[in-house]
């Protein structure tokens, strides 16, 4: 049985509310979820799996059709977020135009929220809901053996009569160490990069799943219960990457620093194995301290990203981000003093925010003076507490994300949730924030002195020039 897993391009990506000079130039990371699915089939005889990263190589639909024609897969799996749904569905259509008998399955956050709505699309045969390794493996087994798909937890599908059958959710995998390590050799792993990266190639890694915090703007695709891989299992993956020449890692755990002992154990493993790697993590300001930072630094961690969100306690309360600005300032300054590169994420245009509030957050970002900052416009995404509460309070008159899932349109624009400022005013303030932060002469000089290579210079210069020329409102 032949399987082709496809990461869609972003040709028809819906509006992200990020300036184009940021959205288009940040870099491309490997499709980690597809790599995990491929590895989940690694011990099955007679199963051949390939991954096609159409995003990395900007592969057109015609070339995707040629790949399908030449490879002749029995099953095509496509990952889809809310942003890439249009492109994912266009790939599904392309598959069926090549051969109607190829089974098309989709997975990812968006289709997990709206599985039945996704199956209304004529070119989609099944949807993997939530965590995919076991469900996808069962799907492959049943298709390969000609068995019925009913009874596979975590799968929704259309039967031969075209009826939608939803088997419900599958329990999350408790022991993450039992999941085979993602197979990077199935991708052109040497080609992935980040504009903020220092070594080449880079890769991503996830050492835990789920998030125990209550932020109202987040969708917990992998659950609210925090599940972890052991330090030994993490080190095994790092070693396997080092063996193929990868020495820079972006840890994509939602919050890496929840369990101090586990963090220290991973650091000690990196140090004792003398892996000589560079790595970046995401943290909250209330789950990290000086002792942890010092050990992270010894182990080669160079950059920490913090979700600061706002300078205002009232906005943090609305977002249910249980931190305070004073703590944010303390931890960011501590990280800088210990030699870490710091990155901070801010949100503007949350419910209740005025223009003056947003300007205060922009001013706060300058006081923190991290190495990098992002400014996103607060957008209510499906299945988040923020979106649900806005629906309940009639801020929106309908579930427009559900409508989009039923009738996807390239012209779809997600709604915003600020009652005082228009979309154009928020976009103008966002553009102002980026220029105010990144076009400071002192900041530019500091970054020029830290340039690592001609490629590094060209990538960052391209973003800077686009920012200068930007007239986005």
């Amino acid at each position: 049985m032949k399987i082709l897993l496809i990461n869609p391009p972003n040709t028809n990506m819906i509006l992200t509310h990020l300036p184009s000079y940021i959205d288009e130039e940040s870099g491309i990371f490997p499709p980690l979820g597809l790599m995990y699915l491929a590895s989940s089939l690694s011990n099955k005889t007679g199963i051949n799996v390939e991954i096609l990263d159409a995003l990395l190589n900007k592969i057109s639909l015609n070339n995707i059709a040629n790949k399908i024609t030449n490879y002749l897969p029995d099953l095509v799996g496509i990952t889809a977020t809310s942003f890439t749904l249009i492109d994912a569905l266009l790939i599904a259509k392309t598959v069926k135009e090549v051969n109607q008998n190829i089974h098309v399955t989709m997975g990812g956050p968006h289709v997990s929220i709206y599985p039945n709505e996704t199956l209304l699309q004529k070119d989609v045969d099944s949807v993997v809901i939530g965590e995919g390794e076991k469900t996808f493996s069962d799907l492959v087994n049943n298709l390969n053996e000609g068995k019925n798909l009913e009874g596979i937890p975590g799968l929704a599908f259309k039967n031969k009569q075209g009826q939608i059958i939803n088997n419900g959710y599958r329990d999350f995998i408790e022991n993450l160490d039992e999941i085979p390590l993602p197979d990077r050799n199935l991708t052109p792993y040497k080609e992935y990069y980040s504009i903020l990266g220092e070594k080449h190639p880079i890769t991503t890694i996830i050492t835990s799943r789920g998030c125990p915090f209550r932020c109202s703007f987040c969708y917990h695709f992998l659950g609210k219960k925090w599940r972890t891989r052991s330090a030994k299992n993490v080190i095994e993956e790092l070693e396997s990457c080092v063996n193929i020449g990868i020495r820079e890692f972006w840890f994509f755990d939602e919050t890496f620093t929840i369990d101090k002992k586990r963090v220290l154990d991973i650091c000690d493993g990196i140090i004792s194995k003398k892996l000589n790697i560079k790595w970046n993590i995401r943290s909250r300001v209330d789950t990290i301290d000086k002792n942890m930072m010092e050990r992270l630094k010894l182990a080669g961690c160079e950059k920490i990203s913090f979700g600061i969100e706002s300078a205002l306690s009232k906005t943090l309360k609305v977002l249910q981000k249980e931190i305070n600005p004073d703590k944010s300032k303390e931890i960011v300054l501590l990280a800088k003093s210990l030699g870490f590169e710091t990155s901070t994420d801010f949100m503007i245009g949350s419910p209740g925010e005025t223009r003056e509030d947003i300007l205060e957050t922009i001013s706060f970002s300058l006081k923190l003076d991290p190495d990098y900052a992002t400014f996103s416009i607060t957008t209510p995404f499906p299945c988040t507490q923020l979106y649900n509460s806005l629906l309940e309070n009639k801020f929106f008159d309908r579930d427009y994300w559900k409508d989009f899932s039923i009738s996807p349109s390239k012209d779809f624009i997600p709604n915003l949730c600020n009652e005082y400022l228009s979309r154009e005013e928020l976009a103008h303030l966002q553009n102002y924030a980026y220029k105010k932060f990144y076009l400071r002469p002192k900041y530019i000089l500091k970054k020029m002195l830290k340039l690592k290579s001609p490629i590094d210079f060209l990538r960052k210069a391209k973003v800077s020039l686009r920012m200068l020329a930007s007239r986005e409102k």
Side-chain angles (χ1 to χ4, degrees):
M1 184 178 186
K2 291 182 178 180
I3 298 169
L4 182 62
L5 303 175
I6 302 179
N7 189 34
N10 58 3
T11 309
N12 298 286
M13 194 164 82
I14 65 171
L15 187 68
T16 64
H17 298 308
L18 278 176
S20 59
Y21 50 78
I22 298 294
D23 205 20
E24 296 171 10
E25 306 293 345
S26 59
I28 298 178
F29 294 109
L32 197 55
L34 296 184
M35 288 150 53
Y36 267 113
L37 291 185
S39 293
S40 71
L41 304 174
S42 60
N43 62 345
K44 300 183 185 301
T45 57
I47 304 293
N48 297 310
V49 186
E50 291 191 12
I51 294 176
L52 180 65
D53 192 344
L55 175 63
L56 174 66
N57 297 310
K58 297 180 171 37
I59 299 174
S60 68
L61 288 173
N62 284 338
N63 287 333
I64 291 173
N66 291 335
K67 172 67 178 178
I68 294 166
T69 301
N70 294 329
Y71 184 55
L72 292 177
D74 300 287
L75 181 151
V76 171
I78 309 167
T79 185
T81 66
S82 299
F83 299 114
T84 61
L85 182 63
I86 299 293
D87 287 300
L89 291 172
L90 287 172
I91 291 174
K93 181 174 183 288
T94 300
V95 173
K96 292 297 187 179
E97 287 173 348
V98 172
N99 188 334
Q100 276 286 334
N101 294 321
I102 297 174
H103 186 98
V104 174
T105 190
M106 295 181 69
H110 187 91
V111 300
S112 292
I113 298 170
Y114 298 112
N116 290 15
E117 290 77 10
T118 302
L119 285 169
L120 292 174
Q121 312 308 312
K122 67 183 182 66
D123 300 310
V124 182
D125 298 307
S126 66
V127 169
V128 174
I129 305 169
E131 200 166 51
E133 288 87 356
K134 289 186 176 181
T135 300
F136 184 69
S137 181
D138 287 348
L139 170 65
V140 170
N141 282 343
N142 283 30
L143 289 174
N144 196 33
E145 297 173 9
K147 294 180 179 178
N148 197 295
L149 301 183
E150 290 188 31
I152 298 178
L155 187 75
F157 67 98
K158 285 184 285 203
N159 64 17
K160 292 181 180 179
Q161 291 74 41
Q163 298 170 316
I164 294 173
I165 310 295
N166 191 324
N167 296 333
Y169 284 86
R170 179 187 289 266
D171 291 340
F172 289 115
I173 300 168
E174 289 296 326
N175 180 13
L176 298 184
D177 283 5
E178 73 183 34
I179 304 173
L181 300 179
D183 188 353
R184 289 172 173 81
N185 288 302
L186 291 174
T187 64
Y189 64 86
K190 294 181 180 180
E191 298 179 28
Y192 295 103
Y193 72 95
S194 167
I195 192 173
L196 304 183
E198 295 186 9
K199 288 184 177 289
H200 190 78
I202 68 166
T203 196
T204 53
I205 182 172
I206 294 179
T207 74
S208 63
R209 296 184 179 183
C211 180
F213 299 103
R214 303 187 308 119
C215 304
S216 65
F217 52 90
C218 284
Y219 164 50
H220 297 286
F221 174 54
L222 295 175
K224 295 183 180 181
K225 181 180 179 181
W226 190 61
R227 298 163 290 137
T228 65
R229 296 167 56 192
S230 67
K232 179 182 178 182
N233 185 256
V234 174
I235 298 302
E236 181 183 343
E237 182 175 355
L238 293 173
E239 284 185 296
S240 70
C241 292
V242 168
N243 289 337
I244 59 173
I246 299 173
R247 290 194 172 274
E248 182 164 340
F249 299 83
W250 290 64
F251 282 60
F252 270 14
D253 302 57
E254 293 188 61
T255 303
F256 179 71
T257 54
I258 292 174
D259 183 339
K260 182 174 182 178
K261 183 181 183 304
R262 194 183 78 104
V263 172
L264 299 183
D265 286 346
I266 291 172
C267 290
D268 289 345
I270 292 171
I271 294 167
S272 66
K273 294 284 187 177
K274 299 180 180 178
L275 295 184
N276 188 28
I277 60 173
K278 293 187 176 183
W279 47 299
N280 309 322
I281 64 168
R282 298 171 175 175
S283 178
R284 286 172 59 105
V285 297
D286 56 354
T287 62
I288 194 168
D289 59 22
K290 184 178 181 181
N291 175 253
M292 190 189 295
M293 285 191 204
E294 289 173 338
R295 194 77 63 88
L296 286 163
K297 192 67 177 174
L298 282 174
C301 180
E302 297 205 333
K303 179 164 158 267
I304 305 176
S305 296
F306 296 104
I308 306 299
E309 321 314 351
S310 177
L312 292 99
S313 295
K314 70 169 187 176
T315 299
L316 293 170
K317 185 175 181 180
V318 168
L319 298 175
Q320 295 184 196
K321 184 85 175 191
E322 296 165 339
I323 60 175
N324 65 73
D326 289 339
K327 185 66 173 180
S328 295
K329 183 177 180 180
E330 173 196 336
I331 293 298
V332 171
L333 294 181
L334 174 61
K336 288 170 59 179
S337 72
L338 293 174
F340 287 96
E341 278 199 340
T342 53
S343 176
T344 53
D345 299 324
F346 296 96
M347 300 171 68
I348 64 172
S350 297
E353 280 199 325
T354 64
R355 175 184 174 84
E356 289 70 30
D357 294 334
I358 293 171
L359 292 174
E360 187 173 338
T361 290
I362 296 171
S363 177
F364 187 55
S365 75
L366 301 177
K367 291 175 184 176
L368 295 182
D369 193 27
D371 293 276
Y372 305 100
T374 62
F375 302 89
S376 62
I377 299 175
T378 302
T379 305
F381 289 108
C383 212
T384 62
Q385 188 171 337
L386 177 61
Y387 182 62
N388 291 339
S389 67
L390 290 166
L391 282 174
E392 290 169 7
N393 294 320
K394 308 300 181 184
F395 189 89
F396 303 130
D397 59 3
R398 70 188 196 287
D399 186 345
Y400 60 88
W401 280 110
K402 183 176 180 179
D403 293 345
F404 170 67
S405 302
I406 295 170
S407 302
S409 167
K410 297 177 183 179
D411 300 324
F412 175 78
I413 299 176
N415 288 341
L416 301 179
C417 55
N418 185 273
E419 57 269 60
Y420 301 121
L421 298 162
S422 67
R423 184 183 301 273
E424 291 72 23
E425 289 171 317
L426 287 169
H428 177 78
L429 283 165
Q430 181 188 45
N431 201 34
Y432 170 77
Y434 274 107
K435 290 184 176 182
K436 187 75 172 175
F437 186 89
Y438 284 103
L439 298 184
R440 294 171 289 160
K442 180 180 177 181
Y443 179 87
I444 293 171
L445 178 61
K446 180 173 70 173
K447 287 301 165 188
M448 287 183 66
L449 294 173
K450 289 185 177 181
L451 289 171
K452 298 292 190 300
S453 67
I455 292 177
D456 187 30
F457 171 77
L458 289 172
R459 284 177 176 160
K460 290 177 180 175
K462 185 177 179 181
V463 175
S464 299
L465 289 172
R466 290 190 64 184
M467 192 182 297
L468 277 169
S470 172
R471 298 181 182 275
E472 295 182 27
K473 300 295 183 184

